Amino acid sequence: MPAEPPVGRPPAPKVYPPLEGGKRILGAIALSTAVFMNVLDTSIANVSIPTISGNLGVSTSQGTWVITSFAVANAITVPLTGWLTQRFGQVRLFLLSTLLFVLASWLCGFSPTFGALVAFRVLQGAVAGPMIPLSQTLMLGSFPKEKSGMALAIWAMTTLVAPVAGPLLGGWISDNYTWPWIFYINVPVGLIAAWISWSIYKDRESVTHKLPIDKIGLALLVVWVGSLQIMLDKGKELGWFGSSTIVVLAILVVIAFVFFIIWELTDNHPVVDLRLFKVRNFTVGAATLAVAYGVFFGTVVLLPLWLQTYMGYTATYAGVVTAPVGILAIILTPVVGKLLTRFDPRAIVTVSFLIFATVSWMRAGFNTETDVGTLMIPTIIQGAAMAGFFVPLTSITLSQIEPWRIPAAAGLSNFARLLAGGFGTSIITTLWDNRATLHHARLTEIAKPGQPAFDHTMGVLKHDGFSQGQSLGILNNIINVQAFTMSAVDLFFGSAIIFLLLTGMVWFSKNRKQSQGGGAAEAAAGAH
């Protein structure tokens, strides 16, 4: 009886030459457009939750299930990309995912009830999972090895800019049209992207082979990832471990996760190839990317939240302040792609993290009197850091991966990044509240009768006609603004320290620099 082949390994892959001229450009545009649509949809609904909740007759807290349902389904299917690709083929799977995403978007817009909207968001999140890692794989296969850094750069631009553009576009659509249009805009965009992708990639299908379905591994994945995502999304709202719901979810996460690890490492055909973590560069690259993205995404959430809640900015103006981050990201990402052919990617990542640390340190100097110009300067600079960390880290992560494992590796690293984004958001918003409570308590210690500042403020308010109770309420609001601002400053300073520490973490990877494109070239070779 023949020996069992390596876990999940398909027959010898087909080798396709890179695309040329107009086909390569159109292919890159189609893949980038599909990715932009996908990533945009993860954040575009955020600012529309109050409108959606009001129109469908539910509370705002219930309305957040529009976000949670998508995130849970998406997080579950992303790590399944490798297994699904071997079974159905990367081109067919990408196109099917894109078309189903379009259908789900259309259904979301037509949802007559809130329950229907949540159900369709689950479908949308589930089919969105394979799109990002497969677009990455197809993009690498479209370019020659010496230009693989540029392929990753083009792919990364859409992935980085979309989360910033989402809230701005979502707010504008909700203010000027009706909320269903945040979903309807996906229909023409997705159909065009799918049609162009099919016309270019239909004859470049990967080899497929039948694999047994790892039912136990899949069930465990659904349980622990679903429970973890719900816990992260609802933890702050429910009071974290003061809530029995969160405690039960945490227990489910731990038990299911432990059994999932054991099962997947011992099964001959695991649904998620955890053996990838035996590869040093994959582990270091994926971990560094996940932590950096978690901190980055947490601050992306914190800044507009602070501006809207305590600085008096509308959603649109908060978006205007944060949107310039895409300027340098778009301009410099292709430059970074070219630099990968000549420089150690670890050095590029180090420079990027130093810029991130500088940006966070600049924001640590914000106060309630900070003007728009001062707010936007670090935001613009941050675009350079975004350009310099995503592409090189992706290159490092895929640099030692065999060709047939590229889709699985891309799926697993993107899964880690998405989970880290959820952790970053939950941790930073919880710490923001906790630190604000601490600062509020300290400020109220000196805001009492007999203190010059307190007596002066109360005297001014009384002179303006406010009663004692009204004056105390106004003073408490002033203290709240200061407390939450001081808390945000603390978190920006902490982010700077984390990015400084990450500059050392990336150097635990091996230098896989090649004559053509470094690690990205190896990844590209695997995609051809």
Side-chain angles (χ1 to χ4, degrees):
M1 191 172 187
E4 183 73 29
V7 176
R9 184 163 194 163
K14 295 179 181 178
V15 179
Y16 298 104
L19 296 174
E20 300 288 343
K23 271 195 171 184
R24 184 195 300 166
I25 295 173
L26 279 176
I29 292 174
L31 295 173
S32 299
T33 302
V35 172
F36 186 83
M37 173 185 69
N38 182 317
V39 179
L40 187 75
D41 216 75
T42 62
S43 60
I44 194 173
N46 293 15
V47 296
S48 304
I49 291 302
T51 304
I52 294 173
S53 302
N55 286 354
L56 295 179
V58 297
S59 66
T60 303
S61 61
Q62 287 177 295
T64 57
W65 279 103
V66 172
I67 301 170
T68 303
S69 56
F70 181 94
V72 170
N74 188 246
I76 290 170
T77 56
V78 168
L80 299 178
T81 303
W83 183 86
L84 291 170
T85 298
Q86 293 180 45
R87 192 173 179 89
F88 301 108
Q90 60 188 27
V91 176
R92 279 190 292 269
L93 180 59
F94 176 77
L95 290 169
L96 181 62
S97 297
T98 303
L99 291 173
L100 287 175
F101 187 87
V102 169
L103 175 62
S105 299
W106 181 77
L107 291 172
C108 285
F110 270 95
S111 299
T113 65
F114 182 72
L117 176 58
V118 171
F120 293 139
R121 283 286 280 176
V122 170
L123 172 63
Q124 190 185 38
V127 300
M131 288 175 65
I132 293 179
L134 285 179
S135 67
Q136 187 177 358
T137 305
L138 290 170
M139 186 78 81
L140 283 168
S142 302
F143 285 70
K145 288 190 287 184
E146 64 271 14
K147 293 186 178 180
S148 52
M150 183 61 67
L152 286 174
I154 294 171
W155 179 86
M157 278 194 292
T158 54
T159 309
L160 292 172
V161 175
V164 180
L168 182 60
L169 184 59
W172 183 81
I173 290 174
S174 296
D175 290 342
N176 295 277
Y177 296 94
T178 54
W179 66 263
W181 281 99
I182 67 176
F183 300 112
Y184 290 153
I185 60 171
N186 292 333
V187 176
V189 174
L191 289 176
I192 293 172
W195 177 70
I196 296 175
S197 298
W198 173 248
S199 64
I200 292 175
Y201 294 101
K202 63 183 177 181
D203 297 323
R204 299 171 66 89
E205 185 58 273
S206 59
V207 173
T208 60
H209 66 128
K210 290 187 177 181
L211 292 171
I213 299 175
D214 177 14
K215 296 178 182 178
I216 295 178
L218 181 59
L220 290 170
L221 177 73
V222 170
V223 171
W224 83 262
V225 173
S227 300
L228 177 61
Q229 195 67 51
I230 295 172
M231 187 178 79
L232 292 175
D233 286 357
K234 295 293 181 180
K236 183 171 176 288
E237 177 187 327
L238 298 177
W240 287 108
F241 293 101
S243 164
S244 58
T245 301
I246 296 299
V247 172
V248 170
L249 287 172
I251 293 172
L252 281 174
V253 170
V254 172
I255 294 175
F257 179 72
V258 171
F259 278 98
F260 174 78
I261 296 294
I262 296 171
W263 182 268
E264 294 299 278
L265 289 176
T266 55
D267 191 66
N268 285 330
H269 300 282
V271 72
V272 178
D273 186 6
L274 296 181
R275 292 173 177 85
L276 285 164
F277 286 108
K278 291 182 179 180
V279 181
R280 178 172 170 177
N281 275 18
F282 176 83
T283 302
V284 174
T288 306
L289 179 59
V291 175
Y293 185 81
V295 178
F296 159 72
F297 197 74
T299 57
V300 165
V301 171
L302 177 62
L303 183 60
L305 193 59
W306 169 61
L307 291 176
Q308 292 177 66
T309 310
Y310 296 102
M311 294 291 283
Y313 284 67
T314 64
T316 301
Y317 278 107
V320 170
V321 170
T322 56
V325 73
I327 297 173
L328 286 180
I330 293 173
I331 294 173
L332 295 180
T333 300
V335 177
V336 171
K338 290 184 178 180
L339 291 177
L340 276 176
T341 62
R342 300 199 304 267
F343 295 97
D344 188 335
R346 297 175 300 177
I348 299 174
V349 173
T350 299
V351 172
S352 171
F353 286 164
L354 289 175
I355 297 174
F356 268 125
T358 302
V359 166
S360 296
W361 178 78
M362 292 172 70
R363 287 175 173 165
F366 287 171
N367 55 54
T368 54
E369 303 298 321
T370 303
D371 57 29
V372 174
T374 306
L375 289 170
M376 291 179 71
I377 290 173
T379 300
I380 294 171
I381 296 173
Q382 183 170 293
M386 290 168 60
F389 97 96
F390 208 91
V391 178
L393 275 176
T394 302
S395 170
I396 291 170
T397 302
L398 301 179
S399 63
Q400 295 178 319
I401 303 299
E402 299 98 318
W404 60 276
R405 300 175 86 184
I406 291 291
L412 192 52
S413 63
N414 276 285
F415 169 68
R417 179 178 60 83
L418 290 173
L419 275 188
F423 270 106
T425 302
S426 296
I427 291 171
I428 209 158
T429 52
T430 300
L431 287 177
W432 190 40
D433 280 347
N434 292 344
R435 294 291 298 175
T437 301
L438 175 64
H439 285 301
H440 189 280
R442 289 177 176 174
L443 289 171
T444 52
E445 289 176 1
I446 59 174
K448 58 186 179 181
Q451 294 292 336
F454 178 87
D455 293 339
H456 173 73
T457 303
M458 292 296 288
V460 170
L461 291 172
K462 183 178 181 181
H463 181 269
D464 290 341
F466 293 100
S467 67
Q468 178 77 4
Q470 289 173 329
S471 299
L472 288 174
I474 292 171
L475 185 59
N476 186 63
N477 287 337
I478 294 172
I479 292 173
N480 256 341
V481 171
Q482 292 293 336
F484 276 92
T485 300
M486 294 168 70
S487 178
V489 164
D490 290 345
L491 293 174
F492 288 134
F493 185 75
S495 299
I497 294 174
I498 293 174
F499 277 117
L500 286 176
L501 295 175
L502 284 173
T503 58
M505 184 174 174
V506 71
W507 289 93
F508 283 99
S509 63
K510 292 181 179 179
N511 180 14
R512 300 286 295 180
K513 186 178 180 183
Q514 304 289 323
S515 59
Q516 294 180 328
E522 294 185 11
H528 284 300

